[in-house]
Structure formats: C-alpha cells, structure tokens
Amino acid sequence: MAFMRKSKFRHVFGKPLKKDDGYDNIRVTKNSWDSPFCSVNPKYIAIITEVAGGGAFLVLPIKQTGRVEMNQPVVDGHKGPVLDISFCPHNDDVIASCSEDCTVKVWQIPEGGLTRNLTEPVVELVSHIKRACIVHWHPSAQNILLSAGADAKICIWNVGTGELYVEVNLPDLIYSVNFSYNGNRFVCTCKDKILRVIDSRTGKVIKETKEPCHQGSKPAQALYLKNDKVFTTGFSRMSERQYALWDANTLEQMSMDEIDQANGVLMPVYDGDVEMIYLIGKGDSIIRYYEITDEAPYVHYLSLYQSKDPTRGFGVMCKRGLNINNCEIMRIYKLLNTGQVEVIPFTVPRKSELFQDDIYPDTASDQPAVSGEDWFRGVDANPVLLSLKDMFASEMKEPAKVVVKSNILDKKVPATPSRSVGATPQATPQAKSAVRPASEAAAPAAAGAGTELPPGFDPQGILEDIRKLKLIVKAHERRIKSLEERVAQYEGPSTDEEGTGETC
C-alpha cells in the first residue's frame, strides 16, 4: 500500500520575478569550464563576463536592477579569462577570483559599488603552475581560502598574510571541492572518478572510494553535507545523469538514483538549514529539488521548477539576504544566454503572517568563529549562528500590535443586596419606610465588609433607584385612589334615583 511521505517542503514552488527586477544586457562568459560563473551576497551580485584580451567580472549592487550600461565598471585585473569567483562569507565586500593566468586574487569592493574599473587586488596568491579553476572559502575560519588548479593541486591559503598553509597533490584534474560543516575536512572529485575525503590541515587523504563514484567520463560534483554525509552527481556508463549519497566516514554508498539522459553537468546546491538540495544543470531549463532525511532512501524528490530558457550559470543568495516575511527559503539568480539574469525565489506557502521558526532555524552569520591562525593550530569551530527572527521583525512595515479587549464572560450578574437580619418577613408600609433610611445607610458598609464586589456594581446607586421607583409607585397609588373616589361620586346618585323611582 503506497502512502505519501509527510514533508513541510512538499509544496515549495519557484516563481520568477518580473524582468525589471532582474538584470539585463550582460555579456556572460562563453568559457566551457563547468563553473556557476556567478556569486551573490546580500550586497552585491558578481558575474564573469566575456572580454577580449584578459579576464574580468562584473560586480553590481544587488538593488541595481534593470539594464546594465555598456560602460559599467568591472573588476579587471587578470591576464586570462576568469574561471571562478566567490564572495567571502565573513565580509560582503571581499571577493576571490581565479583565472587561466594561474593566479588567485582577492579584491576589496568599495562601499556602494564600483565607480571605475578595479585593477589592483588586495592580495595576489601565486602557486599554481597551470590554470586556477576553483576558489572556495572556509565556512568558519577567518581569511582561509582554498584554491584548486588544472595542475591537480589544492592550496589552502591564509589570505590575511598571503601564506600558503597546505598543499595537496592529487593524481588527476580536480572537478569539485567542498568543505565540511566546520571545515576540518573537505571532499573532492577528480577526473580519475575517485571520491576522496581529505584533512584540511594536513592534506592527508582520510578516505577514498575503491571504485569510481560514478562510472561516466563526464565531470562529477560533490558536496559535504551535515551529519557526515556526502552528496555527488555524475553520469553512469550509459551517460545517464545520476546522484548518490555516501557515508563520509566510510564512503559507503547509501543511496543512488538515475535522473535522465541529458548532457549538462548537474551542479548541486545545498541548503544545510533545512536539508534541501537543488540540482541545476548546465543547459537545462529545469531546477529539481530534493530533501535529505535519516530514513531510507535518504534522498526524497520534492518537485521542480521549469522555464523555457536554458541555464548558462547561476548564483545562490545566502539566508541573510532572503525575504523572510514572504517565507522565501531560497533565491537563485539564473544566467541566460540572452544576457539576462532571472531572479527566482523559492517559497514555502504559509497563511500565517508570523515568523515561521520551523523553516528558519538559526543560520550562519557573517562573523568568523575562529581566526585563521588558531584554526591552523588545530582549533575547530562551527559557524557562528544568528536568528532570522530579528531580521523578520526589522523588515515588517509596522510593529506587531496586541489589542486587549474585555471578556464579556467576565461580566457577572450583580448580586441582590441581602436583607437586614433584624427585619421581619411581613412589615407594614410604615415600618418599611422607617427601616429604609437605616438600610440605605448600612448598605455601603455591608458591601465593603463582605466579599469583593464585581466590576461595575454600585450599591448606593441601586438603592437610590429603588427609592425613586417607590416614590413613583406611591404617586400612582394616590392617582388611582383619587380616580376611584370620583367614580364613586358619579355612581352614588344614579343608584339612589333608581331606588326611589323619581324622574328628572
């Protein structure tokens, strides 16, 4: 009997923003290297562009949407085409780039964006003897940057001092590199199809697969997930695209599934806060997303986003830059071959306007957890977390107001004032009138001496109303008595005349 698995992300959907809310007239690079060609943070979006005679990339303020001018300033400091770029997670104004000129450079973006071409980097890192292909920042240590090149070498740098900490030599061309959650390890895939987990400080291979992780000859990509898992995408022997999940400690395969037979390399994007993975294929018009759980088969398909335009590259916004009020859990900036950048928010539909803490756990902040020097000495630290609830409150147009209304059920019926203990059950009107002033005078004292009075109960006012009603009743009694006497006077002579028989 089949049943549907319960998931709060089953109905996640992607809806692109209007064209005016994206970016247009961008000459995206035509390089064939399998890189996203884009990097995004809450302040800027950077895109590798096509230029002649060198390498450059565009850096725009994230709010500067619309058409990009032809003379827009760029970062132009490489002598060869730029292959990869990455913003620093601990400083939104710092970005690293690598190029076919074998160098890795770190740039400081001026506050407010570029007003002229930026040609002088803050730091230039030179160690690769062939093209530098990949740059990747450490998730928690300050100023720690990883670079990988076509010379099958991985370098781990301290950007603050320009010092090379670790150098790892691998047997073949490196396709992908990704740090673990606290950065003490990283996983990489190579052209030899072997999946390796390597110690970040010593460069020693901790574990590697005995057989190819994916049998196909096309590039495989890998991500180091939380809870000691590794996620990979690649191709089968029959060129079918597939994904697999591995135990990071033993590199035993936990799950594998085939997707389709398209040609583009699948680039995985990991959201560790909610354990979701997005698969974006080069040349694809579809973005698939999955959920990672602790139950077999561990990787569960959720849904997909489909458009008519193929993907040239993409950038992913971190949680600090999302619209929390709209329940947005992911935002992808999709580069198109037409020079347009399509902005696609992915949203969890919720009716409540309150903060959704189940889909927004604490996320990584822009504060480093440990210095680069301490990390290299052996100090491990998870990323510093921040709560998105404060961001939710600051983005609301008006602060939340609590309206307190009185509860009608709390309005009890006023109790009838008790009679005097010494009063007789049947008293004459004269006795009642004589006793009334004493009872009226004693009522407030009795009310104060008894139990607590209900809200709005006024014994003096009630006694005053009773006195007025009694006066009105007595006035009506006198009126009735006078009318009865007049009627009696009118009926008396008529009876006498009938009795005597006299006529008028």
Side-chain angles (χ1 to χ4, degrees):
M1 180 177 178
F3 64 93
M4 183 174 293
R5 189 183 64 89
K6 184 178 179 181
S7 173
K8 54 192 171 185
F9 303 109
R10 179 169 296 280
H11 302 291
V12 171
F13 68 95
K15 184 178 181 181
L17 301 182
K18 296 180 180 179
K19 186 176 180 180
D20 293 341
D21 295 327
Y23 309 86
D24 199 2
N25 194 33
I26 298 175
R27 298 178 60 190
V28 182
T29 179
K30 298 179 181 179
N31 199 287
S32 60
W33 176 248
D34 291 314
S35 169
F37 300 142
C38 180
S39 185
V40 186
N41 67 19
K43 292 181 67 174
Y44 302 105
I45 175 172
I47 303 169
I48 301 176
T49 56
E50 184 72 15
V51 294
F57 58 93
L58 188 69
V59 178
L60 294 172
I62 201 71
K63 296 182 180 179
Q64 188 179 324
T65 57
R67 185 178 178 85
V68 178
E69 300 295 335
M70 293 296 296
N71 58 350
Q72 179 71 29
V74 296
V75 179
D76 184 13
H78 285 284
K79 298 179 180 179
V82 178
L83 299 181
D84 194 18
I85 53 177
S86 179
F87 275 109
C88 178
H90 306 131
N91 190 336
D92 291 340
D93 296 323
V94 174
I95 185 171
S97 63
C98 60
S99 168
E100 288 188 0
D101 63 5
C102 308
T103 63
V104 177
K105 298 184 179 183
V106 180
W107 312 84
Q108 177 82 31
I109 307 300
E111 187 65 29
L114 299 177
T115 56
R116 58 184 178 86
N117 287 355
L118 185 61
T119 58
E120 292 296 329
V122 177
V123 180
E124 183 174 355
L125 309 173
V126 180
S127 178
H128 296 284
I129 59 175
K130 291 185 179 180
R131 59 178 181 169
C133 304
I134 300 171
V135 286
H136 187 57
W137 291 94
H138 195 282
S140 59
Q142 187 178 22
N143 295 333
I144 299 299
L145 177 69
L146 180 149
S147 65
D151 52 0
K153 184 168 64 173
I154 294 177
C155 299
I156 297 181
W157 309 83
N158 185 339
V159 175
T161 60
E163 182 182 358
L164 178 61
Y165 275 167
V166 181
E167 185 174 311
V168 184
N169 292 301
L170 296 176
D172 215 331
L173 177 65
I174 301 164
Y175 285 147
S176 69
V177 182
N178 191 253
F179 277 113
S180 62
Y181 181 64
N182 63 358
N184 63 344
R185 300 179 179 182
F186 64 86
V187 63
C188 68
T189 57
C190 299
K191 192 176 182 179
D192 62 0
K193 307 177 186 178
I194 301 299
L195 180 67
R196 296 177 175 86
V197 175
I198 302 174
D199 188 279
S200 300
R201 295 187 184 88
T202 63
K204 294 181 180 179
V205 177
I206 299 174
K207 204 72 180 178
E208 65 180 12
T209 55
K210 297 179 181 179
E211 297 181 356
C213 58
H214 295 279
Q215 297 289 340
S217 59
K218 294 183 180 179
Q221 304 289 317
L223 289 176
Y224 209 121
L225 310 185
K226 287 183 178 179
N227 302 323
D228 289 331
K229 295 183 179 68
V230 173
F231 184 89
T232 61
T233 61
F235 292 80
S236 67
R237 193 178 302 237
M238 303 301 294
S239 295
E240 297 172 323
R241 294 197 295 189
Q242 55 187 198
Y243 67 79
L245 189 69
W246 310 79
D247 187 326
N249 295 320
T250 62
L251 286 187
E252 294 181 358
Q253 188 179 106
M254 302 172 61
S255 174
M256 176 176 281
D257 196 7
E258 295 178 352
I259 301 175
D260 56 20
Q261 292 184 338
N263 296 324
V265 175
L266 285 173
M267 312 284 289
V269 175
Y270 178 51
D271 183 354
D273 295 337
V274 294
E275 293 293 330
M276 286 181 62
I277 287 183
Y278 300 78
L279 298 185
I280 307 173
K282 282 295 192 73
D284 287 6
S285 58
I286 295 177
I287 300 176
R288 299 174 177 86
Y289 36 101
Y290 300 78
E291 184 177 6
I292 308 295
T293 66
D294 295 330
E295 302 174 356
Y298 306 106
V299 183
H300 304 274
Y301 172 77
L302 292 175
S303 186
L304 58 83
Y305 164 81
Q306 186 171 10
S307 65
K308 61 181 181 179
D309 298 310
T311 303
R312 176 61 185 157
F314 64 91
V316 178
M317 176 64 75
C318 63
K319 288 295 179 70
R320 295 185 291 113
L322 299 183
N323 190 339
I324 309 301
N325 293 333
N326 291 345
C327 296
E328 181 184 354
I329 62 170
M330 174 64 70
R331 188 188 305 164
I332 295 176
Y333 292 75
K334 179 180 175 182
L335 309 185
L336 308 181
N337 292 321
T338 59
Q340 183 183 351
V341 179
E342 188 178 57
V343 184
I344 310 170
F346 288 84
T347 306
V348 178
R350 294 285 174 93
K351 292 183 179 180
S352 174
E353 296 182 357
L354 301 177
F355 177 72
Q356 307 296 314
D357 53 359
D358 59 332
I359 62 175
Y360 291 118
D362 291 351
T363 189
S365 69
D366 58 351
Q367 298 296 324
V370 62
S371 66
E373 293 79 5
D374 290 340
W375 173 82
F376 188 67
R377 295 189 190 102
V379 179
D380 284 330
N382 291 334
V384 177
L385 302 181
L386 64 85
S387 173
L388 296 175
K389 190 172 184 179
D390 298 334
M391 186 183 304
F392 174 83
S394 64
E395 290 183 358
M396 293 183 65
K397 295 181 179 179
E398 294 182 0
K401 297 180 180 179
V402 179
V403 180
V404 180
K405 296 183 179 180
S406 60
N407 189 346
I408 60 173
L409 299 179
D410 291 339
K411 296 181 179 179
K412 299 178 182 179
V413 178
T416 304
S418 58
R419 295 180 179 179
S420 302
V421 177
T424 58
Q426 296 179 351
T428 61
Q430 292 81 4
K432 290 180 180 179
S433 61
V435 172
R436 177 181 55 78
S439 63
E440 291 180 1
T451 59
E452 184 179 356
L453 298 177
F457 180 70
D458 182 12
Q460 187 66 32
I462 293 175
L463 293 175
E464 181 66 20
D465 292 340
I466 293 174
R467 186 182 66 80
K468 291 180 181 179
L469 287 174
K470 287 181 177 180
L471 293 175
I472 294 173
V473 169
K474 288 182 179 180
H476 284 295
E477 288 178 351
R478 289 194 296 268
R479 176 67 174 165
I480 292 172
K481 185 176 181 181
S482 63
L483 291 175
E484 289 177 345
E485 291 176 352
R486 291 179 60 185
V487 171
Q489 292 176 0
Y490 176 74
E491 291 179 349
S494 300
T495 305
D496 295 340
E497 291 174 356
E498 290 179 358
T500 57
E502 296 180 355
T503 59
C504 297

